[in-house]
């Protein structure tokens, strides 16, 4: 295995109620077709359920990556999807069963700095062997929306829980990642320092990309406001 790097500390996530309000402010509830009160009720119903430090996520079927990416912010600039990833929403959970609900919790998200300079091919079995589950692309986007400081120069991350299955059944060699644009090439100079949703090859290593993962996913507590 490649050498590991030190892990950079990341501040705790906001309380679930604050996460819900932030999503509402951004209009994510409208995008997902979820009433604002339902989103608030879900957060309130999980506040005392051992959900400290959990990320509130919207199911990707309700809020796809292409719609969420523009809500990312870094250095005052909005996020974007690279031009050669028009099929970004076709990257689906791979080997992962999501809660059958529009809203769920992602527990213990970690950026995986210690796996910088590993390839996705090397990182996946290591993560699962540790009892962790790789983040989906949409979960990674939700995380940066709620906690922009997660994205740092030379400390960004891949989201290899999302893969694309080709028409012939084979897996596409691209694996999604979230990092910070240098404003070069097709990104455009005006996007320098903007959050970027892109991809890397399954077998390649990058010293500046860790692997986002979680301890588990769950759906619990109230998801609908009282009548």
């Amino acid at each position: 295995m490649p050498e590991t790097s030190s892990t950079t500390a990341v501040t705790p996530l906001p309380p679930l109620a604050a996460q819900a309000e932030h999503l509402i402010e951004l209009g994510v509830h409208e995008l997902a077709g979820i009433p604002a009160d339902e989103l608030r009720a879900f957060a309130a119903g999980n506040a005392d359920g051992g959900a400290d430090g959990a990320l509130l996520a919207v199911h990707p079927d309700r809020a796809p990556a292409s719609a969420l990416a523009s809500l990312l912010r870094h250095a005052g600039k909005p996020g974007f999807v690279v031009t050669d990833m028009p099929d970004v929403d076709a990257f689906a959970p791979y080997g992962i069963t999501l809660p059958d609900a529009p809203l769920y919790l992602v527990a213990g998200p970690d950026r995986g700095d210690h796996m910088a300079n590993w390839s996705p091919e090397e990182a996946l079995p290591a993560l699962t062997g540790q009892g962790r589950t790789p983040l989906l692309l949409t979960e990674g986007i939700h995380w940066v929306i709620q906690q922009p400081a997660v994205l740092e120069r030379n400390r960004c991350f891949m989201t290899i829980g999302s893969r694309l299955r080709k028409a012939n059944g084979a897996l596409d060699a691209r694996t999604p990642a979230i990092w910070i644009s240098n404003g070069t090439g097709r990104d455009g100079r005006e996007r320098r320092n903007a959050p970027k949703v892109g991809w890397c090859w399954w077998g390649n290593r990058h010293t500046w990309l860790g692997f986002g993962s979680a301890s588990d996913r769950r759906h619990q507590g109230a998801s609908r406001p009282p009548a």
Side-chain angles (χ1 to χ4, degrees), residues 16 34 40 51 55 60 66 68 72 98-99 144 158 164 182 219:
L16 291 177
I34 300 171
R40 292 186 177 107
L55 173 70
S66 62
L68 293 174
L72 294 168
L98 294 183
V144 179
M158 301 192 70
L164 174 62
N182 286 324
H219 172 80

Side-chain angles (χ1 to χ4, degrees), residues 65-74 77-86 88 137 141 144-145 151 153 177-199:
S66 62
L68 293 174
S70 63
L71 302 178
L72 294 168
R73 292 292 183 275
H74 180 79
K77 296 189 177 182
F80 68 99
V81 179
V82 294
T83 57
D84 57 352
M85 203 177 183
V88 62
L137 175 56
I141 295 174
V144 179
I145 285 174
L151 213 58
R153 281 281 177 194
I178 307 171
W179 71 94
I180 300 169
S181 174
N182 286 324
T184 57
R186 286 181 288 181
D187 287 2
R189 192 179 307 171
E190 70 282 1
R191 283 176 165 162
R192 177 171 173 77
N193 292 322
K196 173 177 177 176
V197 173
W199 57 269

Side-chain angles (χ1 to χ4, degrees), residues 121-146:
E121 186 174 21
E122 294 164 332
L124 181 60
L127 287 172
T128 55
Q130 295 165 9
R132 296 189 62 82
T133 176
L135 291 183
L136 305 184
L137 175 56
T138 50
E139 294 169 350
I141 295 174
H142 273 295
W143 192 16
V144 179
I145 285 174
Q146 297 288 359

Side-chain angles (χ1 to χ4, degrees), residues 17-97:
Q19 293 185 46
E21 290 302 326
H22 189 43
L23 293 180
I24 291 166
E25 290 169 3
L26 294 174
V28 174
H29 65 301
E30 295 176 340
L31 167 69
I34 300 171
D37 285 348
E38 183 174 332
L39 189 51
R40 292 186 177 107
F42 179 80
N46 285 284
D48 298 321
D52 290 344
L55 173 70
L56 198 167
V58 180
H59 197 289
D61 287 350
R62 294 291 194 101
S66 62
L68 293 174
S70 63
L71 302 178
L72 294 168
R73 292 292 183 275
H74 180 79
K77 296 189 177 182
F80 68 99
V81 179
V82 294
T83 57
D84 57 352
M85 203 177 183
D87 51 359
V88 62
D89 293 337
F91 283 75
Y94 176 69
I96 293 169
T97 301

